[in-house]
Amino acid sequence: WPTWSAHPELMTSPTEPSPLSASASQASGQPASPVLLSQPLFDEVHDWLASQGPLWRPAGDTIWHLDDWTRLLAGSPLAQAQGLLTTPTERVDADLLDLLPHLRVISQMAVGYNNIDLQACAERGIAVAHTPDILTETTADFAMAMVLGAARGIGAAERQLRAGAWTQWAPTGFLGQDVHGAILGIVGMGRIGQALARRPQLGFGMRVQYHQRNPLPASGMPDPAQAPVWLPLDELLRTSDHVVLLVPYGPGTHHLLDESRLRSMKPTATLSNLARGGVVDDEALARVLADGHLAGAALDVFEGEPQVHPALLQQERVMLTPHMASASHATRRAMAWMAARQLQAGLMAMSGGTSDGPPVRWVPGAQPKRPAG
Ligand code: DGY
């Protein structure tokens, strides 16, 4: 694995052509393969990546669509990139991969990777890493904020206060549902689901029930005697006071909560979605809320985000946040570092080398198949 020097000249704005020509990089004796970032990260992470080798990153917060990539990569040495660092924002499909024929590793700065076509990656021998664990606790914290926000109508209350509509403390003002002592239903008991399950047990005296394909062993819970109870999905929805969605998105979970399931929930229940847009039918949710069926909802993810279904925007009893569950200073920095280091370690592994750091967290089934020479 070569030691690359930084190529700051590669850090162009998306609208400027790259000043690095293939012949220039060959003449310098350096490999001509930069790594690409789809979005800017943090300065110290950029500096480290640039110290490892040629790096290109967008100058602004541009969201990269295929057209942008096509413009950037056409006739550019950037098309020789072997490494790409992505986020849940970008769609990584066969069309994009065809623009990057030398790509070997994608490092996703997220635990979820439904934006990446893994089949297209496998067909091209591209390995895919992601950043599980590091965001678990921060996301579970935020899940509690969503449950509390939905139950107590915090979003709507704040909007009314800011609009000058709060005139006095009133006995019947801003009434919501209790969280303490209630039944929390978690759909998707992976790392984040389990971290969430520990919180209400310890702090809110809640009973926790969950659904996922296979029941979990009770160990790992603060009090195994009160371990969360596994239920079939429909029973969980019927019996929970507050439901939190944390399942991965895919064909099997598209509109998992459709209108009939939403209507099967208690009229006094709340729904929080921290999974992915598309797990809930947002339009149906807006209808159900409009009918006064649920007490409230809290959504951090949306079908077609950053667009939000206009019918949801009309609803008062839903708290809407911009896919920010993992967004603490410390966690987003840690995710960026992990994604950057895994990008470099992954490239090294693909070349048959090894790195000193922790093992790369490959997406299941998307690890390197063979060391390339
Ligand atoms: C993830 O990691 O998948 C989250 O949605 C990003 O916050």
Side-chain angles (χ1 to χ4, degrees):
W1 184 251
T3 308
W4 287 351
S5 61
H7 285 258
E9 73 276 17
L10 272 174
M11 296 184 201
T12 60
S13 108
T15 50
E16 291 165 14
S18 165
L20 181 75
S21 70
S23 58
S25 72
Q26 278 152 14
S28 73
Q30 303 291 342
S33 173
V35 298
L36 309 183
L37 308 189
S38 61
Q39 291 197 41
L41 305 172
F42 298 91
D43 286 347
E44 65 272 27
V45 183
H46 296 154
D47 291 347
W48 180 77
L49 276 169
S51 77
Q52 303 298 299
L55 169 69
W56 181 89
R57 62 184 166 90
D61 287 337
T62 319
I63 293 178
W64 286 93
H65 298 294
L66 187 63
D67 288 352
D68 303 309
W69 285 113
T70 307
R71 264 195 308 279
L72 175 76
L73 297 173
S76 160
L78 297 178
Q80 295 170 34
Q82 295 186 350
L84 174 65
L85 194 150
T86 55
T87 77
T89 301
E90 299 85 37
R91 186 167 164 65
V92 181
D93 57 12
D95 290 340
L96 173 57
L97 298 179
D98 286 345
L99 298 173
L100 292 163
H102 303 278
L103 201 63
R104 291 174 149 193
V105 177
I106 294 173
S107 181
Q108 163 96 336
M109 183 185 148
V111 61
Y113 43 80
N114 60 300
N115 57 311
I116 301 176
D117 182 340
L118 293 181
Q119 178 65 31
C121 290
E123 283 160 7
R124 291 159 179 77
I126 299 168
V128 184
H130 66 148
T131 59
D133 294 332
I134 205 154
L135 48 75
T136 296
E137 299 298 331
T138 297
T139 305
D141 287 350
F142 197 76
M144 283 312 298
M146 298 299 268
V147 171
L148 289 160
R152 300 295 299 274
I154 295 172
E158 206 224 358
R159 282 191 295 279
Q160 288 181 36
L161 180 150
R162 285 179 186 270
W166 180 40
T167 51
Q168 60 178 21
W169 188 98
T172 56
F174 304 108
L175 302 181
Q177 301 295 325
D178 272 323
V179 169
H180 71 273
I183 300 177
L184 179 72
I186 301 176
V187 181
M189 198 65 155
R191 301 175 189 87
I192 300 170
Q194 291 176 49
L196 170 60
R198 289 193 295 272
R199 285 162 167 75
Q201 248 193 11
L202 288 174
F204 291 86
M206 297 180 91
R207 228 171 75 209
V208 181
Q209 47 195 31
Y210 73 98
H211 174 78
Q212 68 167 13
R213 215 171 306 145
N214 300 311
L216 292 173
S219 60
M221 285 296 134
D223 178 356
Q226 291 180 33
V229 176
W230 182 92
L231 287 181
L233 178 60
D234 290 319
E235 192 178 338
L236 176 136
L237 293 174
R238 257 198 337 272
T239 56
S240 297
D241 296 311
H242 305 291
V243 173
V244 178
L245 301 177
L246 287 165
V247 279
Y249 178 75
T253 55
H254 178 73
H255 287 187
L256 184 70
L257 265 76
D258 57 10
E259 185 150 355
S260 80
R261 284 204 163 121
L262 290 166
R263 290 194 188 277
S264 76
M265 292 172 64
K266 296 181 186 180
T268 51
T270 72
L271 176 71
S272 298
N273 185 12
L274 293 90
R276 280 290 184 267
V279 174
V280 182
D281 178 343
D282 285 350
E283 191 175 341
L285 175 62
R287 257 195 315 275
V288 169
L289 286 166
D291 293 350
H293 182 71
L294 296 176
L299 306 177
D300 189 47
V301 286
F302 305 88
E303 291 187 273
E305 64 185 53
Q307 306 304 318
V308 176
H309 197 291
L312 279 175
L313 294 170
Q314 302 301 316
Q315 292 306 313
E316 269 301 295
R317 283 176 303 111
V318 56
M319 188 167 90
L320 306 170
T321 53
H323 200 154
M324 57 182 279
S326 66
S328 74
H329 285 287
T331 293
R332 283 288 170 85
R333 276 200 151 72
M335 288 166 69
W337 271 116
M338 183 170 173
R341 291 195 189 279
Q342 293 197 140
L343 183 63
Q344 292 296 352
L347 285 168
M348 197 175 287
M350 292 293 272
S351 302
T354 50
S355 59
D356 299 339
V360 173
R361 303 297 298 273
W362 299 108
V363 164
Q367 60 273 30
K369 295 288 176 292
R370 61 186 186 289

